[in-house]
Amino acid sequence: MNKELANDVHEERQRYYQHINEYSMTPLWEVLGRLVPKEPAPVVVAALWKYSEVRDQVLRAGTLITAEEAERRVLILENPALRGNSSITQSLYAGLQLIMPGEVAPAHRHTQSALRLVLDGEGAYTAVDGERSTMRRGDFIITPSWTWHDHGNLGKDPVIWLDGLDIPLVRFFDAGFSEHSEERSQQVSRQEGDALARYGSNMLPVDFYQVSNQATKVFAYPFAQTRSSLLTVSQGEIDRHHGHKLRFVNPATGASPMPTIAAFAQYLPRNFESYPYRCTDATVYVCLEGEGTATIDNKLFHFSQNDVFVVPSWHRLSLRAASNCILFSYSDRPVQQAMGLWREERIQNN
Ligand code: GTQ
């Protein structure tokens, strides 16, 4: 086609696009490559929040607003490529929640599922369905969809934890509901440890059965147990891509603790350098112990205790441990698996 003719065609197409625009229509062929990419081309970028830098900012919120007024006093960790969206990945939310001594974050429930990973300070509790769980550093606590929950701090220190929720996913489906409780804090109806004894100790109540999309009734996974399991399995053979990595489960079904969020813990011995690995679930990592580096598609991040970093979908991740490390992580993997979408690639170091 000569240049003049090509220009004519181009102009006629542009006029046509403008015309059909009035009918809220647009041509597929102009966007097809982006709609069905050869492989994921995430908008989400790799990023790291250094706890030593953000801790003071979180504490400052404690002087500016009460937990009661804020309802939840949280600084949201926003992916730099998704500012204004309250999202750390396309499907997940992350935030740092602060509760000061004597405060209560009042009882509510919502269809969004939440997890907590305790980072800093002692003496707080989360109550879920009438049972309080003392929050100790590294504890992984969940509040499944539509369960009542409130938080309180009976100790002397400010307490900070990471919140992970499926807020963007539920927003995508326009399936969000919430309500406030009449009670500020839930009445305690079960003693601490009840859920773990009933549902999380290799036994279940005699007539209790669940199907795989139901959240576990075990709502607190103590770090002491996670850590001890990781250290024990670390005596065995190491996975070249993951180190020693375990996934948290609903013990009654073997599925993830909540249907929309998977959670993992891994131990990386000092000097371990993982082979590159990628998967389609963008993942939020928290360093619970040790320090090291994460190389995410050739970008290098240094992490140490309580740092949070995010690995976008289909980005190559290699982890290097400068000292013995324990990492916690969470992602939307169970959703992708339920939809038959999830893929991973274990890349061999040559
Ligand atoms: O603790 O219930 O970070 O509802 C965001 C929304 C925490 C919570 C968040 C919430 C909560």
Side-chain angles (χ1 to χ4, degrees), residues 61-332:
T63 68
L64 296 172
I65 190 165
T66 64
E68 197 86 39
E69 192 190 347
E71 187 166 346
R72 296 292 184 265
R73 192 205 284 115
V74 179
L75 295 189
I76 303 172
L77 307 183
E78 286 196 320
N79 192 283
L82 300 174
R83 295 307 310 274
N85 275 296
S86 307
S87 304
I88 190 160
T89 72
Q90 292 289 4
S91 60
L92 295 170
Y93 159 106
L96 294 172
Q97 181 159 176
L98 168 69
I99 186 155
M100 299 299 286
E103 284 189 325
V104 165
H108 70 191
R109 63 176 176 175
H110 37 70
T111 49
Q112 292 81 358
S113 302
L115 65 83
R116 332 277 166 201
L117 186 74
V118 185
L119 297 180
D120 201 351
E122 277 175 21
Y125 65 83
T126 285
V128 176
D129 275 346
E131 181 179 334
R132 283 184 180 180
S133 186
T134 305
M135 300 176 94
R136 298 187 177 88
R137 187 164 182 282
D139 287 356
F140 163 53
I141 295 170
I142 63 168
T143 56
S145 180
W146 211 240
T147 51
W148 292 110
H149 54 283
D150 52 86
H151 317 292
N153 187 346
L154 306 172
K156 293 192 176 72
D157 306 325
V159 174
I160 298 173
W161 63 81
L162 180 92
D163 282 325
L165 288 92
D166 56 8
I167 285 173
L169 189 70
V170 174
R171 182 173 57 196
F172 174 80
F173 289 122
D174 279 335
F177 294 87
S178 70
E179 63 185 21
H180 292 112
S181 173
E182 318 236 287
E183 314 169 314
R184 209 163 141 260
S185 309
Q186 292 176 71
Q187 292 289 334
V188 174
S189 60
R190 295 178 291 142
Q191 70 163 343
E192 178 154 9
D194 184 89
L196 195 58
R198 274 178 212 276
Y199 305 102
S201 303
N202 296 325
M203 292 191 282
L204 292 170
V206 63
D207 288 322
F208 180 78
Y209 297 93
Q210 282 187 307
V211 295
S212 64
N213 71 351
Q214 288 176 309
T216 181
K217 302 244 176 212
V218 180
F219 70 96
Y221 296 75
F223 184 54
Q225 277 184 23
T226 304
R227 191 172 191 281
S228 146
S229 300
L230 287 172
L231 290 180
T232 302
V233 303
S234 77
Q235 300 307 305
E237 206 187 326
I238 196 159
D239 181 300
R240 290 299 320 165
H241 293 87
H242 296 313
H244 301 282
K245 188 167 186 175
L246 300 173
R247 61 186 170 97
F248 290 95
V249 295
N250 175 348
T253 64
S256 54
M258 300 182 288
T260 51
I261 309 178
F264 310 87
Q266 71 203 100
Y267 178 79
L268 311 175
R270 191 166 86 90
N271 292 333
F272 174 74
E273 221 176 319
S274 74
Y275 285 6
Y277 172 85
R278 58 180 175 174
C279 53
T280 52
D281 49 327
T283 304
V284 181
Y285 285 83
V286 185
C287 173
L288 281 174
E289 288 186 11
E291 58 185 304
T293 58
T295 306
I296 306 170
D297 263 12
N298 302 324
K299 254 185 118 175
L300 183 74
F301 296 90
H302 288 265
F303 61 77
S304 58
Q305 202 162 292
N306 289 354
D307 292 352
V308 179
F309 61 95
V310 58
V311 181
S313 166
W314 217 235
H315 279 43
R316 287 178 189 80
L317 169 69
S318 334
L319 295 164
R320 199 183 160 279
S323 58
N324 294 335
C325 288
I326 295 180
L327 303 182
F328 170 88
S329 56
Y330 68 98
S331 78
D332 64 11

